[in-house]
Amino acid sequence: MSDRQTMPLAGIRILDLTSVIMGPVCTQILAGYGAEVIKVEPPEGDIMRHAGAKQEPGMGAMFLHSNRGKRSIVVDLKAQQGQATIRELLQSADVFVHNIRPAAIERIGLDQASVRALCPNIIYAELTGYGIAGPYAGRPAFDDVIQAESGLASLFSQQSGGAPAYLPALIADRLTGVTAAHRILAALMHRQRTGEGEYLNVAMFETMAEFVLSDHFGQRTFDLGSGDIGYSRLLTPYRRPYQTADGYIAVIVYNDKHWKSFFDVIGDPETFARNSCFQTAAARADSYDHIYRVVEEVLAKETTAHWLQTLSAAEIPCAPVNSVEHLLDDEHLRSTGFLQKHARDGSVEWAASALPGIRAAVSPRKGEHTEDYVKASRTSGLAPAT
């Protein structure tokens, strides 16, 4: 684990007025790269402090997994003194990021025009539900709403013929947070080269609409007004974990080599030779329902262990269908340091990180660093570097 001073964002200070998941995911990524992230919380704290399992009040698991490595200060933004405190802290910030709705952020005098008038070279990042130029601007947005509105929920219905469904993960929040983080990184590079700050707006709806359409634009890529939408390989009902004789398995028979090997290992090379629908990518693209149904029928005849051994030996991509609990004991994740252990006051917290070498740290208690920053700013006009 790296010391903050050796990390890529060492010396960068971020004033973070985000809450829930989207914004905190963004700023946790930046904290992991060494930025000093000052998380500004209202007197009641970030609502996610109460979500998920917890060992102490206000330190719920959902909060911990999006706020590691940050500093927490409590500021009442509804009070004039609280707004003045933020304006003082802005003087030493490189990035200001929030996910407060436009009308509310303007009411407290922290809108883009006001902040950039105070700090012309700051990077002002605004994370919203919808782009600020369109008719949906200012609407409240949550992950479930965006999954539905972006078309993601309907894809389950198209594939299965059943009801629309939500992916049981906060994908809109997290994907938008990751998108915002890399947009801020680009803005920091731009400022390093030119000395200029930037205004950024990253919207959940547009982020997820791009995510869905990039897979499913289909014929409308060439004629926006007509043609089929959807990528048939993703929408066939036979693209799913396949049932075996004793469980389920994930298998993707994808390229020409995979398909020839598949029929070789099941002892039926003649079917591959006789049926052109298996032999080329172009032919398979017109026959996904048929070719995946064949795979499903074959895999049902043997056990999961049999197929994992047989298909792996043939270099056909396959994997067991793990439960979430299985991930905690996965030998690969354990060996790569994906699971990180943190200690605080004798208690232990585990965290997951897909970025090797990222700075690991505990999450702050509510207002844990208020005295370090707020009182110092009132006496010196500048929050202390840490």
Side-chain angles (χ1 to χ4, degrees):
M1 285 173 275
S2 302
D3 178 77
R4 174 185 285 173
Q5 299 307 315
T6 67
M7 298 298 288
L9 295 186
I12 296 296
R13 174 172 283 178
I14 297 172
L15 194 59
D16 176 10
L17 269 67
T18 70
S19 61
V20 193
I21 296 294
M22 173 176 60
V25 164
C26 165
T27 53
Q28 178 170 268
I29 292 170
L30 302 175
Y33 286 132
E36 178 189 357
V37 176
I38 306 171
K39 180 178 178 68
V40 180
E41 299 190 60
E44 66 274 17
D46 188 329
I47 192 172
M48 295 310 290
R49 286 185 173 276
H50 310 291
K54 58 184 73 70
Q55 286 190 318
E56 66 175 271
M59 296 293 282
M62 291 293 287
F63 177 85
L64 299 183
H65 293 301
S66 299
N67 290 282
R68 297 189 186 278
K70 303 178 186 179
R71 309 290 196 254
S72 169
I73 67 173
V74 169
V75 176
D76 185 358
L77 293 175
K78 296 177 182 178
Q80 288 188 348
Q81 180 59 61
Q83 295 165 24
T85 295
I86 296 301
R87 284 192 288 272
E88 289 181 7
L89 290 171
L90 281 168
Q91 302 293 324
S92 62
D94 299 286
V95 180
F96 176 66
V97 55
H98 75 85
N99 62 347
I100 301 171
R101 290 167 64 185
I105 200 74
E106 188 171 357
R107 264 197 314 273
I108 60 177
L110 295 174
D111 54 284
Q112 183 242 156
S114 299
V115 170
R116 287 181 62 77
L118 184 67
C119 310
N121 297 328
I122 202 167
I123 294 164
Y124 186 105
E126 187 170 52
L127 282 57
T128 57
Y130 306 88
I132 59 171
Y136 301 166
R139 282 188 187 177
F142 288 83
D143 195 279
D144 295 2
V145 171
I146 297 299
Q147 284 200 42
E149 203 162 15
S150 67
L152 181 62
S154 74
L155 294 176
F156 291 92
S157 181
Q158 282 184 259
Q159 185 191 46
S160 68
Y166 298 135
L167 187 72
L170 297 174
I171 188 170
D173 275 319
R174 295 187 183 280
L175 183 61
T176 307
V178 172
T179 300
H182 78 64
R183 186 66 186 87
I184 290 170
L185 289 171
L188 284 167
M189 181 174 288
H190 173 80
R191 195 183 72 165
Q192 183 180 32
R193 290 174 173 172
T194 67
E196 299 172 351
E198 282 192 75
Y199 165 70
L200 316 175
N201 175 257
V202 183
M204 292 177 73
F205 181 47
E206 282 87 335
T207 298
M208 288 304 296
E210 179 188 16
F211 179 79
V212 171
L213 286 172
S214 293
D215 283 335
H216 295 287
F217 229 132
Q219 194 64 32
R220 301 292 182 94
T221 303
F222 312 103
D223 181 352
L224 199 62
S226 64
D228 292 336
I229 283 182
Y231 177 29
S232 58
R233 192 187 82 78
L234 300 183
L235 293 174
T236 174
Y238 299 99
R239 178 185 178 261
R240 58 191 178 197
Y242 295 114
Q243 190 163 9
T244 65
D246 64 349
Y248 288 88
I249 188 173
V251 175
I252 175 66
V253 190
Y254 190 74
N255 59 33
D256 297 352
K257 179 178 180 296
H258 292 156
W259 282 100
K260 183 178 186 308
S261 296
F262 177 76
F263 283 103
D264 285 345
V265 299
I266 67 173
D268 189 12
E270 294 81 8
T271 294
F272 179 78
R274 287 196 314 267
N275 291 275
S276 61
C277 65
F278 296 107
Q279 294 172 6
T280 68
R284 292 191 294 271
D286 293 328
S287 309
Y288 285 126
D289 281 0
H290 170 64
I291 64 176
Y292 282 9
R293 188 187 306 118
V294 169
V295 174
E296 180 179 69
E297 291 170 355
V298 169
L299 295 179
K301 298 174 182 178
E302 298 287 351
T303 66
T304 299
H306 168 84
W307 289 122
L308 288 173
Q309 181 178 3
T310 302
L311 298 175
S312 294
E315 298 185 340
I316 295 172
C318 60
V321 180
N322 286 336
S323 67
V324 176
E325 188 175 15
H326 274 114
L327 297 180
L328 305 183
D329 292 315
D330 185 272
E331 62 178 349
H332 178 84
L333 296 180
R334 287 279 190 177
S335 68
T336 61
F338 173 84
L339 294 170
Q340 301 176 1
K341 186 177 181 180
H342 311 285
R344 176 208 279 277
D345 299 341
S347 64
V348 171
E349 299 171 6
W350 287 92
S353 175
L355 301 170
I358 200 164
R359 189 175 66 88
V362 296
S363 299
R365 294 190 175 98
K366 184 183 74 173
E368 183 175 347
H369 306 94
T370 301
E371 185 172 349
D372 295 340
Y373 289 94
V374 176
K375 290 187 178 180
S377 71
R378 289 173 184 170
T379 58
S380 68
L382 192 68
T386 58

